[in-house]
mmCIF file of all heavy atoms in Angstrom:
data_model
loop_
_atom_site.group_PDB
_atom_site.id
_atom_site.type_symbol
_atom_site.label_atom_id
_atom_site.label_comp_id
_atom_site.label_asym_id
_atom_site.label_seq_id
_atom_site.Cartn_x
_atom_site.Cartn_y
_atom_site.Cartn_z
ATOM 1 N N ILE A 213 -8.459 -31.434 0.351
ATOM 2 C CA ILE A 213 -8.013 -32.729 0.867
ATOM 3 C C ILE A 213 -8.162 -32.749 2.394
ATOM 4 O O ILE A 213 -8.281 -31.691 3.026
ATOM 5 C CB ILE A 213 -6.544 -33.027 0.489
ATOM 6 C CG1 ILE A 213 -5.607 -31.985 1.116
ATOM 7 C CG2 ILE A 213 -6.371 -33.066 -1.023
ATOM 8 C CD1 ILE A 213 -4.123 -32.300 0.929
ATOM 9 N N PRO A 214 -8.151 -33.927 3.011
ATOM 10 C CA PRO A 214 -8.215 -34.000 4.479
ATOM 11 C C PRO A 214 -6.898 -33.531 5.117
ATOM 12 O O PRO A 214 -5.886 -33.368 4.442
ATOM 13 C CB PRO A 214 -8.454 -35.483 4.764
ATOM 14 C CG PRO A 214 -8.515 -36.174 3.463
ATOM 15 C CD PRO A 214 -8.129 -35.232 2.385
ATOM 16 N N ASP A 215 -6.955 -33.338 6.418
ATOM 17 C CA ASP A 215 -5.765 -32.930 7.172
ATOM 18 C C ASP A 215 -4.861 -34.141 7.403
ATOM 19 O O ASP A 215 -4.749 -34.655 8.522
ATOM 20 C CB ASP A 215 -6.165 -32.319 8.520
ATOM 21 C CG ASP A 215 -6.814 -30.958 8.368
ATOM 22 O OD1 ASP A 215 -6.206 -30.077 7.760
ATOM 23 O OD2 ASP A 215 -7.955 -30.793 8.852
ATOM 24 N N GLU A 216 -4.214 -34.565 6.360
ATOM 25 C CA GLU A 216 -3.295 -35.704 6.454
ATOM 26 C C GLU A 216 -1.929 -35.280 5.925
ATOM 27 O O GLU A 216 -1.811 -34.791 4.799
ATOM 28 C CB GLU A 216 -3.812 -36.891 5.639
ATOM 29 C CG GLU A 216 -5.101 -37.497 6.149
ATOM 30 C CD GLU A 216 -4.921 -38.266 7.453
ATOM 31 O OE1 GLU A 216 -3.750 -38.483 7.861
ATOM 32 O OE2 GLU A 216 -5.937 -38.640 8.072
ATOM 33 N N LYS A 217 -0.920 -35.472 6.748
ATOM 34 C CA LYS A 217 0.433 -35.029 6.413
ATOM 35 C C LYS A 217 0.917 -35.598 5.076
ATOM 36 O O LYS A 217 1.436 -34.856 4.222
ATOM 37 C CB LYS A 217 1.385 -35.424 7.540
ATOM 38 C CG LYS A 217 2.825 -34.977 7.324
ATOM 39 C CD LYS A 217 3.670 -35.351 8.544
ATOM 40 C CE LYS A 217 5.123 -34.956 8.338
ATOM 41 N NZ LYS A 217 5.966 -35.315 9.510
ATOM 42 N N ASN A 218 0.735 -36.895 4.880
ATOM 43 C CA ASN A 218 1.216 -37.527 3.650
ATOM 44 C C ASN A 218 0.488 -37.002 2.415
ATOM 45 O O ASN A 218 1.083 -36.823 1.354
ATOM 46 C CB ASN A 218 1.072 -39.044 3.744
ATOM 47 C CG ASN A 218 2.020 -39.653 4.763
ATOM 48 O OD1 ASN A 218 3.046 -39.064 5.102
ATOM 49 N ND2 ASN A 218 1.686 -40.843 5.259
ATOM 50 N N ASP A 219 -0.811 -36.763 2.562
ATOM 51 C CA ASP A 219 -1.595 -36.236 1.439
ATOM 52 C C ASP A 219 -1.139 -34.833 1.055
ATOM 53 O O ASP A 219 -1.040 -34.495 -0.126
ATOM 54 C CB ASP A 219 -3.082 -36.209 1.792
ATOM 55 C CG ASP A 219 -3.671 -37.611 1.928
ATOM 56 O OD1 ASP A 219 -2.963 -38.591 1.588
ATOM 57 O OD2 ASP A 219 -4.825 -37.731 2.374
ATOM 58 N N ILE A 220 -0.870 -34.023 2.072
ATOM 59 C CA ILE A 220 -0.415 -32.654 1.817
ATOM 60 C C ILE A 220 0.922 -32.672 1.070
ATOM 61 O O ILE A 220 1.103 -31.981 0.059
ATOM 62 C CB ILE A 220 -0.285 -31.870 3.147
ATOM 63 C CG1 ILE A 220 -1.654 -31.718 3.811
ATOM 64 C CG2 ILE A 220 0.341 -30.493 2.895
ATOM 65 C CD1 ILE A 220 -1.598 -31.188 5.227
ATOM 66 N N GLN A 221 1.845 -33.462 1.564
ATOM 67 C CA GLN A 221 3.160 -33.528 0.933
ATOM 68 C C GLN A 221 3.073 -34.068 -0.492
ATOM 69 O O GLN A 221 3.760 -33.571 -1.398
ATOM 70 C CB GLN A 221 4.091 -34.398 1.773
ATOM 71 C CG GLN A 221 4.459 -33.771 3.112
ATOM 72 C CD GLN A 221 5.341 -34.664 3.956
ATOM 73 O OE1 GLN A 221 5.361 -35.892 3.778
ATOM 74 N NE2 GLN A 221 6.086 -34.062 4.877
ATOM 75 N N ALA A 222 2.211 -35.040 -0.708
ATOM 76 C CA ALA A 222 2.068 -35.612 -2.054
ATOM 77 C C ALA A 222 1.540 -34.579 -3.036
ATOM 78 O O ALA A 222 2.017 -34.488 -4.182
ATOM 79 C CB ALA A 222 1.137 -36.826 -2.006
ATOM 80 N N LYS A 223 0.570 -33.786 -2.606
ATOM 81 C CA LYS A 223 0.014 -32.761 -3.485
ATOM 82 C C LYS A 223 1.048 -31.679 -3.795
ATOM 83 O O LYS A 223 1.155 -31.200 -4.925
ATOM 84 C CB LYS A 223 -1.220 -32.132 -2.850
ATOM 85 C CG LYS A 223 -2.490 -32.937 -3.073
ATOM 86 C CD LYS A 223 -2.830 -32.994 -4.553
ATOM 87 C CE LYS A 223 -3.995 -33.907 -4.832
ATOM 88 N NZ LYS A 223 -4.227 -34.038 -6.296
ATOM 89 N N ARG A 246 -5.355 -32.246 14.757
ATOM 90 C CA ARG A 246 -5.436 -32.536 13.325
ATOM 91 C C ARG A 246 -4.797 -31.445 12.473
ATOM 92 O O ARG A 246 -4.742 -31.569 11.255
ATOM 93 C CB ARG A 246 -6.898 -32.711 12.920
ATOM 94 C CG ARG A 246 -7.552 -33.943 13.497
ATOM 95 C CD ARG A 246 -6.997 -35.216 12.880
ATOM 96 N NE ARG A 246 -7.376 -35.349 11.468
ATOM 97 C CZ ARG A 246 -6.811 -36.197 10.627
ATOM 98 N NH1 ARG A 246 -5.820 -36.986 11.033
ATOM 99 N NH2 ARG A 246 -7.220 -36.276 9.363
ATOM 100 N N VAL A 248 -1.915 -30.188 10.928
ATOM 101 C CA VAL A 248 -0.575 -30.723 10.666
ATOM 102 C C VAL A 248 0.091 -30.078 9.448
ATOM 103 O O VAL A 248 1.154 -30.540 9.022
ATOM 104 C CB VAL A 248 -0.639 -32.252 10.457
ATOM 105 C CG1 VAL A 248 -1.106 -32.948 11.721
ATOM 106 C CG2 VAL A 248 -1.551 -32.604 9.269
ATOM 107 N N THR A 249 -0.507 -29.029 8.907
ATOM 108 C CA THR A 249 0.061 -28.435 7.691
ATOM 109 C C THR A 249 1.496 -27.947 7.888
ATOM 110 O O THR A 249 2.374 -28.243 7.056
ATOM 111 C CB THR A 249 -0.830 -27.294 7.170
ATOM 112 O OG1 THR A 249 -2.143 -27.819 6.909
ATOM 113 C CG2 THR A 249 -0.269 -26.703 5.897
ATOM 114 N N PRO A 250 1.818 -27.215 8.953
ATOM 115 C CA PRO A 250 3.212 -26.787 9.129
ATOM 116 C C PRO A 250 4.177 -27.968 9.246
ATOM 117 O O PRO A 250 5.294 -27.923 8.709
ATOM 118 C CB PRO A 250 3.181 -25.967 10.427
ATOM 119 C CG PRO A 250 1.767 -25.515 10.549
ATOM 120 C CD PRO A 250 0.947 -26.627 9.991
ATOM 121 N N GLU A 251 3.745 -29.017 9.935
ATOM 122 C CA GLU A 251 4.605 -30.191 10.089
ATOM 123 C C GLU A 251 4.836 -30.894 8.746
ATOM 124 O O GLU A 251 5.899 -31.477 8.505
ATOM 125 C CB GLU A 251 3.973 -31.184 11.069
ATOM 126 C CG GLU A 251 4.069 -30.779 12.540
ATOM 127 C CD GLU A 251 3.097 -29.675 12.923
ATOM 128 O OE1 GLU A 251 2.133 -29.419 12.170
ATOM 129 O OE2 GLU A 251 3.296 -29.058 13.979
ATOM 130 N N ALA A 252 3.855 -30.799 7.852
ATOM 131 C CA ALA A 252 4.003 -31.400 6.533
ATOM 132 C C ALA A 252 4.928 -30.579 5.644
ATOM 133 O O ALA A 252 5.745 -31.128 4.891
ATOM 134 C CB ALA A 252 2.626 -31.540 5.867
ATOM 135 N N ILE A 253 4.820 -29.262 5.738
ATOM 136 C CA ILE A 253 5.550 -28.381 4.817
ATOM 137 C C ILE A 253 6.962 -28.055 5.298
ATOM 138 O O ILE A 253 7.901 -27.955 4.496
ATOM 139 C CB ILE A 253 4.754 -27.075 4.599
ATOM 140 C CG1 ILE A 253 3.400 -27.387 3.964
ATOM 141 C CG2 ILE A 253 5.530 -26.090 3.742
ATOM 142 C CD1 ILE A 253 3.483 -28.113 2.633
ATOM 143 N N GLN A 254 7.142 -27.893 6.605
ATOM 144 C CA GLN A 254 8.438 -27.461 7.139
ATOM 145 C C GLN A 254 9.617 -28.283 6.620
ATOM 146 O O GLN A 254 10.609 -27.723 6.124
ATOM 147 C CB GLN A 254 8.407 -27.495 8.671
ATOM 148 C CG GLN A 254 9.673 -26.960 9.339
ATOM 149 C CD GLN A 254 9.665 -25.451 9.424
ATOM 150 O OE1 GLN A 254 8.756 -24.870 9.973
ATOM 151 N NE2 GLN A 254 10.690 -24.817 8.874
ATOM 152 N N PRO A 255 9.568 -29.614 6.684
ATOM 153 C CA PRO A 255 10.735 -30.386 6.227
ATOM 154 C C PRO A 255 10.943 -30.326 4.711
ATOM 155 O O PRO A 255 12.019 -30.695 4.232
ATOM 156 C CB PRO A 255 10.406 -31.816 6.680
ATOM 157 C CG PRO A 255 8.934 -31.850 6.852
ATOM 158 C CD PRO A 255 8.531 -30.481 7.280
ATOM 159 N N MET A 256 9.955 -29.873 3.973
ATOM 160 C CA MET A 256 10.075 -29.790 2.521
ATOM 161 C C MET A 256 10.728 -28.487 2.057
ATOM 162 O O MET A 256 11.265 -28.415 0.948
ATOM 163 C CB MET A 256 8.695 -29.923 1.859
ATOM 164 C CG MET A 256 7.973 -31.219 2.161
ATOM 165 S SD MET A 256 6.371 -31.323 1.325
ATOM 166 C CE MET A 256 6.890 -31.507 -0.389
#
Side-chain angles (χ1 to χ4, degrees):
I213 63 173
D215 289 305
E216 294 289 350
K217 182 177 178 180
N218 291 337
D219 292 351
I220 296 170
Q221 291 178 337
K223 277 296 174 185
R246 292 290 292 165
V248 296
T249 302
E251 285 75 17
I253 298 302
Q254 184 82 56
M256 301 181 70

